[in-house]
Amino acid sequence: MNTDTNKNLPEKIPQHVAIIMDGNGRWARARGLPRLAGHRAGTENLREILEASAEFGIKYLTIYAFSTENWDRPEAEVTGLMRLFTTMFKRELKNLHENGVQLRHIGKLDRIDTALQQQVNEAVELTKNNDRLILNVAFNYGGRDEIVHAVREIIRDKKKPEEINIELISKYLYTADSPDPDLIIRTSGELRSSNFLIWQGAYAEWYFPSAYWPDFGKEELRKALFDYSERDRRFGRVFTGDA
Ligand code: FPP
């Protein structure tokens, strides 16, 4: 670990950072390249951000890799993205495992190609005891879909109305084992939540850099952490001493 670099960090580091990796398509178009070249560049950048997150002391990183709505993209792009995920898993898993990253999946695997489903499950199993960084991969994930899924499971488990509260619902979400995100970053200047962690992000701080995802590197992440450290998180309360 590079301690020189770590000196240049704010004291307050968010425990859980979540990222909407937006702007791959525009990054590619700006260079006259096909959209998939943007996704490939985005994948390379993910590696940089993963390493930086571990180095900066972030414990949980959640990334929006593929939404329940992304199926509506042109077939060639969906197929290309699935191939990219497959390659990424094959190429990076060993390295992630050796670096203490625990992979978790949030979302539904049912529409995914069975070979890729198996890869995801094996990766989760292989890395389940790692604890340097927890990487939640939101893959075929949608926040509304997650809540529907939770409600169905709660009914299946025959919970009584009096038993239903915020903690119980949180336990039925795909993110049951992760704390709520402290900081959510959406790159590329878009100002929407796009169905990402809509329950868990209720009190998250948001950060909207203009950089497209492939250009949001380690130094951009550092800037986001400094910005976060300046925020006053009140969770709906006022500070004591305020009139
Ligand atoms: C959004 O950019 C990006 C996606 C829908 C895909 C994100 C996937 C990656 C970065 C690949 C790496 C992930 C893993 C887990 C291997 P966009 O296509 O919406 O860009 P645009 O808004 O500029 O068109």
Side-chain angles (χ1 to χ4, degrees):
M1 191 176 291
N2 184 341
T3 42
D4 279 351
T5 323
N6 272 350
K7 276 185 202 144
N8 188 16
L9 277 176
E11 239 169 63
K12 189 175 80 174
I13 297 289
Q15 186 186 21
H16 183 174
V17 175
I19 309 184
I20 301 177
M21 309 180 287
D22 199 7
N24 293 345
R26 279 164 287 162
W27 181 94
R29 194 169 60 217
R31 286 160 179 76
L33 298 169
R35 291 179 57 81
L36 269 172
H39 294 312
R40 272 194 291 276
T43 308
E44 291 305 316
N45 189 52
L46 179 57
R47 191 193 291 139
E48 173 169 336
I49 290 298
L50 263 168
E51 281 171 14
S53 299
E55 183 185 322
F56 292 167
I58 294 164
K59 287 309 287 184
Y60 294 82
L61 182 70
T62 299
I63 53 163
Y64 209 0
F66 193 87
S67 78
T68 46
E69 288 70 37
N70 285 154
W71 293 107
D72 297 330
R73 292 192 172 202
E75 203 185 319
E77 183 169 348
V78 172
T79 313
L81 273 169
M82 293 300 157
R83 280 210 194 106
L84 199 58
F85 297 140
T86 307
T87 317
M88 169 85 173
F89 268 111
K90 278 197 188 129
R91 209 184 57 189
E92 298 295 331
L93 183 59
K94 188 166 171 274
N95 185 32
L96 291 174
H97 185 43
E98 284 170 3
N99 281 289
V101 175
Q102 182 186 142
L103 261 161
R104 294 179 185 169
H105 168 247
I106 63 172
K108 278 205 288 225
L109 285 180
D110 55 358
R111 264 179 93 174
I112 313 289
D113 171 77
T114 44
L116 183 51
Q117 281 189 29
Q118 201 178 332
Q119 265 182 308
V120 173
N121 289 331
E122 282 170 10
V124 169
E125 180 59 28
L126 175 74
T127 63
K128 68 180 181 195
N129 295 319
N130 296 343
D131 63 0
R132 180 157 179 235
L133 176 76
I134 312 293
L135 176 64
N136 288 318
V137 181
F139 181 49
N140 195 21
Y141 171 88
R144 289 178 165 181
D145 180 76
E146 178 180 38
I147 293 170
V148 169
H149 175 262
V151 172
R152 286 189 179 152
E153 292 301 307
I154 287 170
I155 292 173
R156 219 167 260 145
D157 284 351
K158 300 191 169 50
K159 296 288 178 197
K160 298 194 188 73
E162 314 78 75
E163 288 180 88
I164 314 267
N165 55 31
I166 292 171
E167 287 69 35
L168 181 108
I169 291 176
S170 297
K171 279 199 195 101
Y172 275 85
L173 299 177
Y174 299 129
T175 51
D177 299 322
S178 300
D180 285 343
D182 303 297
L183 172 65
I184 306 182
I185 299 170
R186 180 175 191 147
T187 57
S188 88
E190 302 290 341
L191 308 178
R192 290 183 299 280
S193 68
S194 298
N195 206 9
F196 186 49
L197 303 178
I198 52 176
W199 174 279
Q200 302 89 333
Y203 284 102
E205 296 293 328
W206 282 80
Y207 181 73
F208 297 105
S210 55
Y212 296 143
W213 170 248
D215 292 330
F216 184 85
K218 180 177 179 179
E219 293 314 311
E220 296 286 330
L221 179 63
R222 193 195 304 275
K223 255 191 250 170
L225 297 187
F226 272 106
D227 192 284
Y228 170 83
S229 73
E230 306 276 297
R231 313 266 182 106
D232 290 327
R233 301 189 73 197
R234 292 191 293 277
F235 300 92
R237 300 186 290 264
V238 290
F239 282 130
T240 41
D242 282 358

